[in-house]
């Protein structure tokens, strides 16, 4: 086995194919398999690719990356950030600008260059944000203007979600490295500026100045200023191992999701059902075993 049989694994693979790949991952990298949901085809495929291409379990590589000293100890990482509401508005305006700059023409050209018969589910660049959302528009035969607006809103929603996922990844995965010096500069207010090059502007005061001062401190080997801007994760990383709920017959990945599952209405309802099920079955058995004392006429009426 060299992993070639898993190269076509995707989110649209059959349950049996995903299960086979997951069982194989359990054999070659049990630690990584314990972190991944058994149905998450894309991540299972990625871990198998790493194992066969690198010759090392994916979990070992991630463990090394999370604990080893950085290649350049005298470093600085700057993250241009903004408040979530501000960032969402910028994402929406970005999509509007793409449309004004000819997104429809580009999509039409790409659509016309594709084969007439595409599989129902396809991967690669066709899964990128900005194309798959407009599939309904190209397939619509009526109300195309309405469908277009719905596609645009779908693209905006997916763009906002992706940006939020990136921010979460930085905080939950990237920033947890013990030797990383990651600082944020807030660009939330720069849109209020009439001239961002003015030294008194929000952009200059809240982005440029602290960034230059931090870089200067690193190059001069001085203690870094703006300690309030350092993005640190003081609490330990969230446990991402799998837990199986026998009550609900579900596999849950991560301690946070596990806590949410235990507190969910669905889980509590299932607990109550299983607790009372023996009593209900006993009552049903007793009713079935009761002798029928009704006369023939009464039985016929009852039936």
């Amino acid at each position: 086995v060299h992993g070639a049989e898993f190269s076509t694994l995707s989110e649209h693979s059959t349950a049996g194919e995903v299960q086979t790949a997951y069982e194989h991952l359990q054999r070659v990298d049990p630690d990584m398999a314990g972190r991944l949901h058994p149905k998450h085809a894309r991540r299972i495929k990625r871990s198998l690719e790493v194992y066969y291409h690198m010759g090392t379990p994916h979990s070992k590589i991630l463990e090394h990356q999370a604990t080893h000293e950085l290649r350049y100890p005298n470093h600085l990482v700057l993250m241009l950030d903004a408040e979530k509401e501000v960032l969402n508005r910028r994402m929406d305006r970005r999509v509007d600008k793409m449309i004004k700059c000819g997104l429809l023409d580009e999509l039409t050209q790409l659509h016309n260059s594709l084969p007439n018969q595409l599989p129902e589910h396809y991967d690669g660049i066709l899964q990128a944000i900005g194309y798959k959302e407009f599939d309904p528009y190209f397939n619509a035969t009526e109300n195309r203007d309405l469908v277009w607006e719905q596609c645009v809103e779908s693209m905006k929603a997916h763009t906002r979600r992706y940006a939020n996922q990136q921010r979460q990844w930085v905080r939950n995965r990237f920033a947890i490295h013990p030797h990383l010096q990651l600082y944020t500069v807030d660009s939330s207010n720069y849109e209020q500026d009439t001239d961002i090059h003015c030294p008194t502007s929000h952009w200059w005061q809240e982005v440029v100045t602290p960034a230059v001062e931090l870089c200067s401190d690193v190059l001069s080997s001085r203690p870094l200023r703006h300690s309030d801007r350092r993005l640190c994760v003081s609490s330990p990383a969230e446990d991402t191992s799998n837990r199986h709920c026998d009550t609900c017959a579900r596999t849950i990945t991560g301690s946070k999701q596990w806590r949410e599952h235990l507190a969910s209405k669905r889980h509590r309802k299932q607990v109550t059902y299983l607790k009372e099920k023996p009593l209900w079955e006993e009552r049903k058995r007793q009713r079935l075993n009761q002798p029928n004392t009704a006369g023939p006429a009464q039985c016929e009426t009852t039936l």
Side-chain angles (χ1 to χ4, degrees):
V1 177
H2 299 288
E5 66 270 35
F6 305 120
S7 60
T8 59
L9 194 69
S10 72
E11 297 174 355
H12 311 298
S13 299
T14 65
E17 292 172 337
V18 177
Q19 180 65 24
T20 299
Y22 183 73
E23 291 175 354
H24 188 72
L25 181 63
Q26 287 180 311
R27 292 192 293 270
V28 300
D29 190 355
D31 290 341
M32 200 65 200
R35 303 181 196 178
L36 302 182
H37 194 282
K39 296 182 180 180
H40 205 310
R42 181 177 59 82
R43 292 187 177 180
I44 294 171
K45 175 185 176 182
R46 176 56 181 163
S47 291
L48 288 172
E49 288 176 342
V50 171
Y51 174 76
Y52 283 108
H53 291 169
M54 305 294 293
T56 304
H58 195 186
S59 59
K60 298 298 182 183
I61 295 177
L62 294 179
E63 180 182 352
H64 176 71
Q65 291 176 345
T67 56
H68 80 294
E69 294 283 345
L70 297 176
R71 181 182 301 179
Y72 304 105
N74 193 28
H75 72 278
L76 174 68
V77 179
L78 291 174
M79 174 181 172
L80 187 63
D81 202 6
E83 296 175 0
K84 184 176 180 179
E85 294 75 13
V86 175
L87 187 60
N88 286 341
R89 291 196 298 269
R90 290 177 183 171
M91 296 295 100
D92 290 347
R93 289 199 300 270
R94 179 177 180 268
V95 173
D96 292 335
K97 185 176 180 180
M98 293 173 66
I99 294 173
K100 291 180 180 179
C101 292
L103 177 63
L104 177 57
D105 293 338
E106 183 177 344
L107 290 173
T108 303
Q109 182 179 0
L110 177 60
H111 181 77
N112 293 337
S113 67
L114 296 174
N116 293 329
Q117 297 295 328
L118 283 174
E120 181 180 358
H121 303 293
Y122 36 88
D123 301 311
I125 192 172
L126 300 183
Q127 281 291 319
I129 297 177
Y131 180 80
K132 62 182 185 294
E133 291 82 5
F134 293 91
D135 231 13
Y137 173 77
F138 290 111
N139 295 326
T141 57
E142 58 183 13
N143 299 325
R144 297 196 77 196
D145 290 342
L146 176 60
V147 175
W148 170 260
E149 294 299 328
Q150 293 172 343
C151 293
V152 171
E153 289 303 316
S154 177
M155 180 179 176
K156 289 181 178 180
H158 289 168
T159 303
R160 294 193 299 268
R161 187 180 303 120
Y162 184 62
N164 187 53
Q165 290 173 349
Q166 288 179 318
R167 299 173 81 235
Q168 290 179 344
W169 181 87
V170 169
R171 287 167 170 77
N172 298 335
R173 301 295 182 187
F174 188 57
I176 63 175
H177 197 290
H179 305 293
L180 185 69
Q181 294 189 127
L182 174 60
Y183 285 74
T184 62
V185 285
D186 191 355
S187 65
S188 300
N189 300 318
Y190 91 90
E191 292 167 330
Q192 304 174 16
D193 299 329
T194 56
D195 181 8
I196 62 173
H197 301 290
C198 177
T200 59
S201 65
H202 290 286
W203 176 261
W204 197 269
Q205 294 291 328
E206 299 170 9
V207 177
V208 176
T209 298
V212 170
E213 290 176 348
L214 285 167
C215 290
S216 176
D217 290 342
V218 169
L219 294 174
S220 303
S221 299
R222 293 194 300 261
L224 273 62
R225 288 168 279 183
H226 306 287
S227 59
D228 59 315
R229 296 177 181 268
R230 184 170 186 180
L231 185 58
C232 299
V233 181
S234 55
S235 58
E238 193 77 29
D239 181 10
T240 58
S241 59
N242 287 336
R243 294 169 174 82
H244 187 76
C245 178
D246 295 329
T247 302
C248 304
R250 291 185 60 192
T251 299
I252 310 298
T253 302
S255 56
K256 179 181 178 182
Q257 288 79 2
W258 178 252
R259 292 192 299 269
E260 292 175 351
H261 172 73
L262 295 181
S264 67
K265 182 178 179 181
R266 175 180 176 179
H267 175 78
R268 290 185 282 108
K269 185 177 180 180
Q270 185 70 2
V271 170
T272 302
Y273 167 75
L274 293 178
K275 183 179 180 180
E276 298 178 355
K277 183 179 178 180
L279 178 60
W280 296 339
E281 292 179 344
E282 176 62 21
R283 290 176 179 174
K284 181 179 179 180
R285 185 185 63 79
Q286 291 177 358
R287 287 197 303 266
L288 293 175
N289 292 334
Q290 284 180 353
N292 191 350
T293 59
Q298 289 178 312
C299 291
E300 183 177 351
T301 303
T302 303
L303 293 174

